[in-house]
Amino acid sequence: MRAMRTYLRLAAGLAALTASAAFAQTTRLNIDYETGTTDSGIFRLVATEAPAADAAYIVDGEARSGRYALAHKVTWTDPGYVSFGAPRSEAHASSVRDGALKPGQYAPGQHRLYTFSVMLKDWEDWNGAPGPAPVDIVWQFKHFNGGPDFYVGVRRNQMILRYGEKQAVLIDDVRPYDNRWLDFRFEIYWAKDDSGYYTAEVKRDGDADYTLKAAEAAYPTFDPAYAGTAGTIQWGLYRPDAAKVPGATPTRIVLHDDIRVIELP
């Protein structure tokens, strides 16, 4: 009970902070794919590093808003869907420039709001087999020269958030949301020490508004164990352990749309 009260006070405090700072919000990156191209018309935006022709492609008519969205496909048994030595097809914005700014990157001292939408396309349910289950990662805050500071993925039939040694459940059961859009909103103050904090909110198809699913204060959001001095947002599909789990679904497809990076004071 005490932990729940602390959690609710934290959530209310962070929400009030965001509301008071709303006047100073500045959108630094807006990726909506309405150009009908995999780079959304943004110079140096990378759609995928995997060589297969359909590892990343534009879909027409299934967007979260507008007309177009980006699809990623990974067949973990096919080398055409391997990049950086693993079954992976991910977009990233690490090389995007806006003058002197690198809006697709993050670093300690930055306060950011991130929004993005995900559709699990014709997603095959977990078969319920005993033992370990693979995770299919659909979003990463990826630390350079290190692992992810946070990632969102599907394990069994849950949408989870992993960070450090911790895990939170964002959606208890994704099966009712197959081929339906899911909206995510993260507020993060990036820090290597206990001045860091984050909130994670989700809006499922049919929900009137976002629901807070996870939050933590006094947390080093920018993992000090990693050597890199910055990180980047990545989205698509990364299937790091599919080959280790008997019966893992061979092919998965995920769609992304309406990716925004908003600077907060």
Side-chain angles (χ1 to χ4, degrees):
M1 183 62 70
R2 178 181 297 176
M4 178 60 71
R5 288 196 297 268
T6 300
Y7 179 87
L8 293 174
R9 284 198 299 270
L10 166 65
L14 294 181
L17 175 62
T18 301
S20 67
F23 69 93
Q25 294 182 1
T26 303
T27 299
R28 293 299 184 189
L29 193 59
N30 182 20
I31 304 168
D32 59 13
Y33 295 106
E34 287 308 291
T35 58
T37 58
T38 59
D39 64 0
S40 196
I42 299 173
F43 183 54
R44 293 178 173 169
L45 182 67
V46 174
T48 185
E49 305 277 5
D54 61 350
Y57 57 94
I58 288 291
V59 295
D60 184 349
E62 289 187 279
R64 176 63 180 87
S65 64
R67 179 173 173 177
Y68 300 108
L70 183 69
H72 285 95
K73 175 183 174 182
V74 172
T75 300
W76 69 263
T77 54
D78 187 330
Y81 303 94
V82 170
S83 60
F84 300 101
R88 180 197 330 249
S89 179
E90 292 181 295
H92 67 81
S94 64
S95 299
V96 173
R97 299 291 185 270
D98 180 6
L101 299 176
K102 301 175 183 178
Q105 296 189 19
Y106 60 88
Q110 293 181 350
H111 186 195
R112 297 289 185 266
L113 188 68
Y114 303 90
T115 64
F116 58 93
S117 297
V118 175
M119 179 194 286
L120 305 176
K121 180 64 176 173
D122 298 331
W123 201 260
E124 186 175 331
D125 300 336
W126 177 58
N127 59 17
V135 62
D136 293 292
I137 297 172
V138 300
W139 178 275
Q140 294 192 70
F141 295 99
K142 176 62 172 63
H143 203 116
F144 295 145
N145 298 318
D149 291 298
F150 297 84
Y151 75 69
V152 176
V154 180
R155 172 167 274 154
R156 296 180 172 88
N157 291 315
Q158 290 184 322
M159 185 79 75
I160 61 170
L161 172 67
R162 287 295 306 267
Y163 56 106
E165 300 299 319
K166 300 184 179 185
Q167 177 174 303
V169 176
L170 299 179
I171 300 175
D172 291 326
D173 189 347
V174 299
R175 288 175 293 182
Y177 302 99
D178 189 30
N179 296 319
R180 299 167 68 183
W181 284 101
L182 302 166
D183 301 333
F184 298 84
R185 185 166 66 191
F186 282 76
E187 181 186 351
I188 304 177
Y189 181 75
W190 294 105
K192 297 173 71 172
D193 56 25
D194 287 349
S195 65
Y197 60 85
Y198 86 90
T199 62
E201 299 172 286
V202 178
K203 184 168 70 172
R204 303 165 301 181
D205 185 21
D207 289 348
D209 205 350
Y210 285 90
T211 298
L212 182 71
K213 290 296 185 177
E216 192 148 0
Y219 177 78
T221 50
F222 193 85
D223 195 330
Y226 299 142
T229 59
T232 185
I233 55 172
Q234 295 183 180
W235 58 99
L237 267 176
Y238 174 32
R239 310 189 64 193
D241 49 8
K244 304 172 187 176
V245 179
T249 298
T251 299
R252 290 208 185 277
I253 298 173
V254 65
L255 275 58
H256 287 80
D257 200 6
D258 292 346
I259 297 159
R260 294 181 178 89
V261 178
I262 300 167
E263 180 180 347
L264 301 174

